[in-house]
Amino acid sequence: MTKVYCLGCGVVTPVGNTPAGVYEAVRKGKSAFRMYEGWPEPYYASLLERGDFEEASFFDHILLQASRAAVADAGIDITGPRVGLVLSSIKGNVEKIDSEDVSLAVSASRLARALGVMTAPIVVSNACISGLAALLQGIRMIRSGAYDHVLVAGAEVQSRFIVTGFQSLKALSLNPCTPFDAGRDGLNLGEAAAAMLLSSCPFEASSCHSERSEESLWELVDGAVRNDANHISGPSRMGEGSYNALRVVLDSVKPEELAFVNVHGTATRYNDQMEAIALNRAGMQEVPVNALKGTFGHTMGAAGILESIVSMQACDTGVVLPTKGFSTMGVEPAVSVSARERKTDKKAFVKLLSGFGGVNGALLFRKGGGR
Protein backbone atom coordinates (compact mmCIF):
# COMPACT_ATOMS: atom_id res chain seq x y z
CA MET A 1 0.00 0.00 0.00
CA THR A 2 1.28 3.47 -0.92
CA LYS A 3 2.77 5.32 2.04
CA VAL A 4 1.53 8.85 2.62
CA TYR A 5 3.68 11.38 4.47
CA CYS A 6 3.19 14.84 5.91
CA LEU A 7 5.66 17.15 4.15
CA GLY A 8 4.61 20.52 5.51
CA CYS A 9 2.33 22.17 8.06
CA GLY A 10 0.82 25.61 8.56
CA VAL A 11 -1.30 27.04 11.38
CA VAL A 12 -3.10 30.22 12.35
CA THR A 13 -4.20 30.29 16.00
CA PRO A 14 -4.75 32.84 18.78
CA VAL A 15 -1.57 31.58 20.53
CA GLY A 16 0.77 31.53 17.51
CA ASN A 17 1.09 31.16 13.77
CA THR A 18 3.83 28.54 13.42
CA PRO A 19 3.67 24.88 14.45
CA ALA A 20 6.73 25.25 16.70
CA GLY A 21 5.44 28.44 18.28
CA VAL A 22 2.00 26.98 18.92
CA TYR A 23 3.52 23.84 20.42
CA GLU A 24 5.64 25.86 22.83
CA ALA A 25 2.58 27.90 23.81
CA VAL A 26 0.74 24.68 24.62
CA ARG A 27 3.65 23.45 26.74
CA LYS A 28 3.70 26.72 28.66
CA GLY A 29 -0.04 26.52 29.33
CA LYS A 30 -0.90 29.62 27.32
CA SER A 31 -4.34 30.31 25.90
CA ALA A 32 -6.33 33.24 24.53
CA PHE A 33 -9.67 32.58 26.19
CA ARG A 34 -11.87 35.41 27.41
CA MET A 35 -15.53 36.19 27.92
CA TYR A 36 -17.45 37.66 24.97
CA GLU A 37 -20.72 39.58 25.28
CA GLY A 38 -23.34 40.76 22.83
CA TRP A 39 -25.35 37.70 21.82
CA PRO A 40 -28.25 36.18 23.79
CA GLU A 41 -25.85 35.01 26.48
CA PRO A 42 -22.16 35.68 27.14
CA TYR A 43 -19.78 32.96 26.02
CA TYR A 44 -16.20 32.01 26.81
CA ALA A 45 -14.03 31.44 23.74
CA SER A 46 -10.60 31.61 22.12
CA LEU A 47 -10.96 33.87 19.08
CA LEU A 48 -8.51 35.35 16.58
CA GLU A 49 -7.91 39.08 16.32
CA ARG A 50 -9.69 40.58 13.31
CA GLY A 51 -8.00 42.90 10.86
CA ASP A 52 -8.96 44.79 7.73
CA PHE A 53 -9.52 42.39 4.86
CA GLU A 54 -10.72 44.06 1.71
CA GLU A 55 -11.05 41.29 -0.86
CA ALA A 56 -11.68 38.12 1.11
CA SER A 57 -13.55 37.21 4.23
CA PHE A 58 -11.71 36.54 7.46
CA PHE A 59 -12.38 32.81 7.00
CA ASP A 60 -10.80 32.81 3.54
CA HIS A 61 -7.90 34.91 4.78
CA ILE A 62 -6.80 32.58 7.57
CA LEU A 63 -7.39 29.54 5.37
CA LEU A 64 -5.05 30.93 2.73
CA GLN A 65 -2.46 31.95 5.33
CA ALA A 66 -2.25 28.45 6.82
CA SER A 67 -2.21 26.83 3.37
CA ARG A 68 0.62 29.01 2.09
CA ALA A 69 2.63 28.22 5.21
CA ALA A 70 2.18 24.47 4.69
CA VAL A 71 3.24 24.71 1.04
CA ALA A 72 6.30 26.79 1.96
CA ASP A 73 7.22 24.31 4.69
CA ALA A 74 6.97 21.43 2.21
CA GLY A 75 9.03 23.25 -0.39
CA ILE A 76 7.24 21.84 -3.42
CA ASP A 77 5.45 23.18 -6.47
CA ILE A 78 1.72 22.52 -6.12
CA THR A 79 0.68 23.88 -9.51
CA GLY A 80 1.02 20.59 -11.38
CA PRO A 81 -1.80 18.32 -12.63
CA ARG A 82 -1.23 15.66 -9.95
CA VAL A 83 -1.81 17.92 -6.95
CA GLY A 84 -5.14 17.94 -5.11
CA LEU A 85 -6.80 20.24 -2.59
CA VAL A 86 -9.23 19.29 0.18
CA LEU A 87 -11.02 21.94 2.24
CA SER A 88 -12.37 21.08 5.70
CA SER A 89 -14.93 23.26 7.43
CA ILE A 90 -18.32 22.95 9.07
CA LYS A 91 -19.77 26.42 8.58
CA GLY A 92 -17.17 28.34 6.56
CA ASN A 93 -18.54 31.77 5.64
CA VAL A 94 -21.90 31.27 7.35
CA GLU A 95 -21.66 34.79 8.79
CA LYS A 96 -22.17 35.97 5.19
CA ILE A 97 -25.43 34.04 4.87
CA ASP A 98 -27.01 36.77 2.76
CA SER A 99 -24.16 36.67 0.26
CA GLU A 100 -23.35 34.31 -2.59
CA ASP A 101 -19.94 33.83 -0.92
CA VAL A 102 -21.43 31.65 1.83
CA SER A 103 -20.85 28.39 -0.07
CA LEU A 104 -17.88 26.25 0.96
CA ALA A 105 -17.46 25.42 -2.74
CA VAL A 106 -16.84 29.13 -3.42
CA SER A 107 -14.21 29.27 -0.68
CA ALA A 108 -12.54 26.10 -1.99
CA SER A 109 -12.40 27.45 -5.55
CA ARG A 110 -11.05 30.78 -4.33
CA LEU A 111 -8.34 29.01 -2.33
CA ALA A 112 -7.37 26.83 -5.29
CA ARG A 113 -7.00 29.88 -7.56
CA ALA A 114 -4.93 31.76 -4.99
CA LEU A 115 -2.55 28.81 -4.60
CA GLY A 116 -2.40 27.91 -8.29
CA VAL A 117 -3.91 24.46 -7.81
CA MET A 118 -5.05 23.17 -11.21
CA THR A 119 -7.36 20.34 -10.14
CA ALA A 120 -10.92 20.71 -8.84
CA PRO A 121 -10.93 21.08 -5.05
CA ILE A 122 -12.94 18.81 -2.79
CA VAL A 123 -14.91 19.98 0.26
CA VAL A 124 -15.34 17.83 3.36
CA SER A 125 -17.98 19.08 5.79
CA ASN A 126 -18.79 16.25 8.19
CA ALA A 127 -19.56 17.85 11.55
CA CYS A 128 -16.70 17.94 14.07
CA ILE A 129 -14.71 15.14 12.44
CA SER A 130 -14.32 17.19 9.25
CA GLY A 131 -10.56 17.76 9.66
CA LEU A 132 -9.81 14.09 10.28
CA ALA A 133 -12.17 13.02 7.48
CA ALA A 134 -10.42 15.47 5.15
CA LEU A 135 -7.03 13.95 5.98
CA LEU A 136 -8.43 10.51 5.23
CA GLN A 137 -9.80 11.87 1.95
CA GLY A 138 -6.33 13.17 1.07
CA ILE A 139 -4.75 9.81 1.87
CA ARG A 140 -7.25 8.00 -0.35
CA MET A 141 -6.74 10.45 -3.20
CA ILE A 142 -3.02 9.70 -3.18
CA ARG A 143 -3.51 5.95 -2.82
CA SER A 144 -5.90 6.00 -5.77
CA GLY A 145 -2.88 6.76 -7.97
CA ALA A 146 -4.41 9.96 -9.35
CA TYR A 147 -2.43 12.37 -7.14
CA ASP A 148 1.15 12.67 -5.87
CA HIS A 149 0.43 15.46 -3.38
CA VAL A 150 -2.70 16.72 -1.63
CA LEU A 151 -3.03 19.88 0.43
CA VAL A 152 -5.56 19.42 3.23
CA ALA A 153 -6.65 22.71 4.81
CA GLY A 154 -9.27 23.40 7.45
CA ALA A 155 -10.59 26.51 9.15
CA GLU A 156 -13.42 27.78 11.30
CA VAL A 157 -14.50 31.20 12.49
CA GLN A 158 -17.25 31.64 15.04
CA SER A 159 -20.46 33.48 14.25
CA ARG A 160 -23.80 34.30 15.80
CA PHE A 161 -25.23 31.26 14.00
CA ILE A 162 -22.73 28.86 15.58
CA VAL A 163 -22.60 30.36 19.06
CA THR A 164 -26.36 30.61 19.53
CA GLY A 165 -26.74 27.07 18.21
CA PHE A 166 -24.43 25.68 20.88
CA GLN A 167 -26.06 27.91 23.48
CA SER A 168 -29.47 26.48 22.62
CA LEU A 169 -28.08 23.00 23.35
CA LYS A 170 -26.73 24.22 26.73
CA ALA A 171 -23.35 22.84 25.61
CA LEU A 172 -21.14 25.84 26.36
CA SER A 173 -19.28 26.44 29.60
CA LEU A 174 -18.81 29.92 30.99
CA ASN A 175 -15.52 28.77 32.50
CA PRO A 176 -12.34 27.24 31.03
CA CYS A 177 -13.29 23.76 29.82
CA THR A 178 -12.03 20.75 31.79
CA PRO A 179 -11.88 17.64 29.56
CA PHE A 180 -12.44 14.31 31.35
CA ASP A 181 -12.61 16.06 34.72
CA ALA A 182 -15.29 15.28 37.28
CA GLY A 183 -16.39 18.92 37.25
CA ARG A 184 -16.65 19.37 33.49
CA ASP A 185 -19.73 21.29 32.39
CA GLY A 186 -19.34 22.02 28.69
CA LEU A 187 -17.11 23.12 25.87
CA ASN A 188 -15.47 26.37 24.79
CA LEU A 189 -15.45 27.50 21.18
CA GLY A 190 -12.31 28.44 19.28
CA GLU A 191 -11.05 29.78 15.97
CA ALA A 192 -8.11 28.54 13.91
CA ALA A 193 -6.86 27.45 10.53
CA ALA A 194 -4.49 24.57 9.87
CA ALA A 195 -3.08 22.81 6.83
CA MET A 196 -0.99 19.76 5.95
CA LEU A 197 0.72 18.98 2.65
CA LEU A 198 0.51 15.22 2.10
CA SER A 199 2.73 13.37 -0.37
CA SER A 200 3.59 9.91 -1.64
CA CYS A 201 6.94 10.99 -3.10
CA PRO A 202 8.56 13.42 -0.65
CA PHE A 203 12.19 12.87 -1.60
CA GLU A 204 11.89 13.62 -5.31
CA ALA A 205 9.49 16.56 -4.93
CA SER A 206 11.02 18.79 -2.30
CA SER A 207 13.31 21.56 -3.48
CA CYS A 208 14.36 22.84 -0.07
CA HIS A 209 14.52 19.76 2.18
CA SER A 210 17.18 17.58 0.59
CA GLU A 211 18.17 16.33 4.04
CA ARG A 212 14.84 14.55 4.47
CA SER A 213 14.80 10.81 5.03
CA GLU A 214 11.96 8.41 5.60
CA GLU A 215 12.89 8.24 9.28
CA SER A 216 12.43 12.01 9.65
CA LEU A 217 8.88 12.14 8.29
CA TRP A 218 5.48 11.48 9.80
CA GLU A 219 3.43 8.87 7.99
CA LEU A 220 -0.36 8.91 8.03
CA VAL A 221 -0.74 5.16 8.27
CA ASP A 222 -4.41 4.27 8.39
CA GLY A 223 -7.73 5.42 9.72
CA ALA A 224 -11.47 5.11 9.49
CA VAL A 225 -14.75 6.93 9.86
CA ARG A 226 -17.51 4.96 11.57
CA ASN A 227 -21.03 6.23 12.19
CA ASP A 228 -23.33 5.06 14.97
CA ALA A 229 -26.29 7.31 14.05
CA ASN A 230 -27.26 7.37 17.70
CA HIS A 231 -28.64 10.90 17.92
CA ILE A 232 -28.38 14.23 16.12
CA SER A 233 -26.27 15.74 18.92
CA GLY A 234 -25.63 12.97 21.48
CA PRO A 235 -22.98 10.23 21.20
CA SER A 236 -23.63 6.52 21.53
CA ARG A 237 -23.55 5.58 25.20
CA MET A 238 -21.19 2.69 24.48
CA GLY A 239 -18.97 4.64 22.11
CA GLU A 240 -19.89 2.31 19.27
CA GLY A 241 -18.69 4.43 16.37
CA SER A 242 -15.45 5.50 18.05
CA TYR A 243 -14.72 1.93 19.12
CA ASN A 244 -15.25 0.59 15.61
CA ALA A 245 -12.97 3.28 14.16
CA LEU A 246 -10.30 2.32 16.71
CA ARG A 247 -10.59 -1.34 15.71
CA VAL A 248 -9.49 -0.43 12.18
CA VAL A 249 -6.49 1.52 13.47
CA LEU A 250 -5.43 -1.33 15.77
CA ASP A 251 -4.89 -3.54 12.73
CA SER A 252 -1.76 -1.42 12.16
CA VAL A 253 -0.50 -0.80 15.70
CA LYS A 254 -0.50 -2.35 19.16
CA PRO A 255 -1.68 -0.20 22.09
CA GLU A 256 1.70 -0.52 23.79
CA GLU A 257 3.40 1.04 20.74
CA LEU A 258 1.47 4.30 21.13
CA ALA A 259 2.88 7.39 22.81
CA PHE A 260 -0.67 8.65 23.40
CA VAL A 261 -4.18 9.06 22.08
CA ASN A 262 -5.12 12.65 21.35
CA VAL A 263 -8.86 12.50 21.99
CA HIS A 264 -11.73 14.76 20.98
CA GLY A 265 -12.07 15.79 24.63
CA THR A 266 -14.74 18.48 24.38
CA ALA A 267 -15.43 18.48 28.15
CA THR A 268 -19.13 17.77 27.71
CA ARG A 269 -20.57 15.14 30.05
CA TYR A 270 -21.46 12.64 27.35
CA ASN A 271 -18.60 12.99 24.87
CA ASP A 272 -15.78 12.35 27.32
CA GLN A 273 -17.63 9.45 28.93
CA MET A 274 -18.23 7.87 25.51
CA GLU A 275 -14.56 8.19 24.51
CA ALA A 276 -13.46 6.56 27.77
CA ILE A 277 -15.76 3.60 27.15
CA ALA A 278 -14.55 3.25 23.55
CA LEU A 279 -10.89 3.30 24.62
CA ASN A 280 -11.52 0.67 27.29
CA ARG A 281 -13.43 -1.54 24.85
CA ALA A 282 -10.45 -1.29 22.48
CA GLY A 283 -8.00 -2.35 25.22
CA MET A 284 -6.37 1.11 25.28
CA GLN A 285 -7.11 2.09 28.88
CA GLU A 286 -3.40 2.18 29.76
CA VAL A 287 -2.36 4.34 26.80
CA PRO A 288 -1.75 7.98 27.83
CA VAL A 289 -4.64 10.24 26.82
CA ASN A 290 -4.62 13.97 26.24
CA ALA A 291 -6.95 16.65 24.90
CA LEU A 292 -6.12 20.10 23.50
CA LYS A 293 -9.48 21.86 23.75
CA GLY A 294 -8.30 23.58 26.95
CA THR A 295 -5.78 25.55 24.85
CA PHE A 296 -7.59 26.13 21.56
CA GLY A 297 -11.26 25.59 22.36
CA HIS A 298 -13.28 23.61 19.87
CA THR A 299 -11.99 24.74 16.48
CA MET A 300 -14.45 22.50 14.64
CA GLY A 301 -13.36 22.09 11.00
CA ALA A 302 -9.74 22.90 11.88
CA ALA A 303 -9.55 20.66 14.97
CA GLY A 304 -8.51 17.38 13.36
CA ILE A 305 -5.66 19.02 11.45
CA LEU A 306 -4.49 21.48 14.11
CA GLU A 307 -4.50 18.95 16.96
CA SER A 308 -2.65 16.39 14.80
CA ILE A 309 0.05 18.96 13.97
CA VAL A 310 0.58 19.76 17.66
CA SER A 311 0.63 16.04 18.47
CA MET A 312 3.36 15.44 15.88
CA GLN A 313 5.39 18.24 17.44
CA ALA A 314 4.96 16.68 20.89
CA CYS A 315 6.02 13.22 19.76
CA ASP A 316 9.05 14.70 18.00
CA THR A 317 10.24 16.09 21.32
CA GLY A 318 9.36 12.98 23.35
CA VAL A 319 6.47 14.62 25.19
CA VAL A 320 2.96 13.60 26.15
CA LEU A 321 1.21 16.93 26.57
CA PRO A 322 -1.03 17.49 29.60
CA THR A 323 -4.78 17.94 29.37
CA LYS A 324 -5.26 21.56 30.39
CA GLY A 325 -8.04 21.86 32.97
CA PHE A 326 -8.02 18.21 34.07
CA SER A 327 -7.45 17.36 37.73
CA THR A 328 -9.89 14.67 38.96
CA MET A 329 -10.97 11.63 36.95
CA GLY A 330 -14.55 12.14 35.84
CA VAL A 331 -15.17 9.19 33.53
CA GLU A 332 -15.86 5.53 34.22
CA PRO A 333 -14.18 3.23 33.43
CA ALA A 334 -11.08 5.37 33.88
CA VAL A 335 -8.49 6.08 31.21
CA SER A 336 -4.90 7.29 31.58
CA VAL A 337 -5.53 11.03 31.22
CA SER A 338 -2.32 13.05 31.21
CA ALA A 339 -2.68 15.67 33.96
CA ARG A 340 0.90 16.87 33.58
CA GLU A 341 3.61 16.62 30.94
CA ARG A 342 5.11 13.14 30.60
CA LYS A 343 8.05 11.79 28.67
CA THR A 344 7.80 9.18 25.93
CA ASP A 345 10.18 7.44 23.54
CA LYS A 346 7.39 6.09 21.33
CA LYS A 347 6.85 7.45 17.85
CA ALA A 348 3.20 6.77 17.06
CA PHE A 349 -0.10 8.25 18.19
CA VAL A 350 -3.80 8.07 17.38
CA LYS A 351 -6.05 11.07 16.77
CA LEU A 352 -9.73 10.65 17.72
CA LEU A 353 -12.66 12.88 16.81
CA SER A 354 -16.43 12.64 17.15
CA GLY A 355 -19.29 14.81 15.97
CA PHE A 356 -22.99 15.52 15.63
CA GLY A 357 -25.04 12.89 13.85
CA GLY A 358 -23.03 10.03 15.35
CA VAL A 359 -19.89 10.48 13.23
CA ASN A 360 -16.58 9.25 14.64
CA GLY A 361 -13.07 8.98 13.26
CA ALA A 362 -9.63 7.65 14.17
CA LEU A 363 -6.29 8.14 12.40
CA LEU A 364 -2.89 6.60 13.13
CA PHE A 365 0.31 8.64 12.74
CA ARG A 366 3.74 7.00 12.89
CA LYS A 367 7.23 8.52 12.63
CA GLY A 368 9.79 6.84 10.47
CA GLY A 369 7.79 5.13 7.78
CA GLY A 370 6.84 1.83 9.31
CA ARG A 371 7.29 -0.83 11.94
Side-chain angles (χ1 to χ4, degrees), residues 306-347:
L306 172 62
E307 294 172 7
S308 295
I309 290 171
V310 174
S311 294
M312 288 189 291
Q313 293 272 321
C315 243
D316 276 337
T317 55
V319 165
V320 180
L321 289 167
T323 298
K324 188 176 175 64
F326 172 82
S327 60
T328 303
M329 185 63 62
V331 295
E332 186 179 345
V335 289
S336 184
V337 180
S338 178
R340 60 186 183 279
E341 187 173 295
R342 309 188 214 179
K343 298 298 182 184
T344 183
D345 60 358
K346 298 173 182 177
K347 295 299 181 183

Side-chain angles (χ1 to χ4, degrees), residues 204-286:
E204 295 83 1
S206 177
S207 61
C208 64
H209 292 290
S210 59
E211 75 279 6
R212 276 188 173 138
S213 66
E214 188 175 17
E215 289 71 29
S216 71
L217 295 173
W218 279 96
E219 180 189 356
L220 286 73
V221 181
D222 200 8
V225 169
R226 293 292 182 267
N227 300 339
D228 56 49
N230 177 72
H231 187 271
I232 187 62
S233 62
S236 164
R237 186 176 67 85
M238 295 302 292
E240 200 67 29
S242 190
Y243 165 66
N244 283 317
L246 283 169
R247 287 180 61 188
V248 174
V249 166
L250 291 175
D251 286 341
S252 301
V253 71
K254 297 176 182 178
E256 57 267 28
E257 296 175 316
L258 293 170
F260 55 83
V261 179
N262 181 246
V263 292
H264 193 40
T266 58
T268 57
R269 301 298 300 179
Y270 294 116
N271 174 86
D272 296 4
Q273 177 64 33
M274 173 276 292
E275 287 194 285
I277 291 172
L279 288 165
N280 273 270
R281 290 181 66 189
M284 301 173 71
Q285 61 271 22
E286 300 300 326

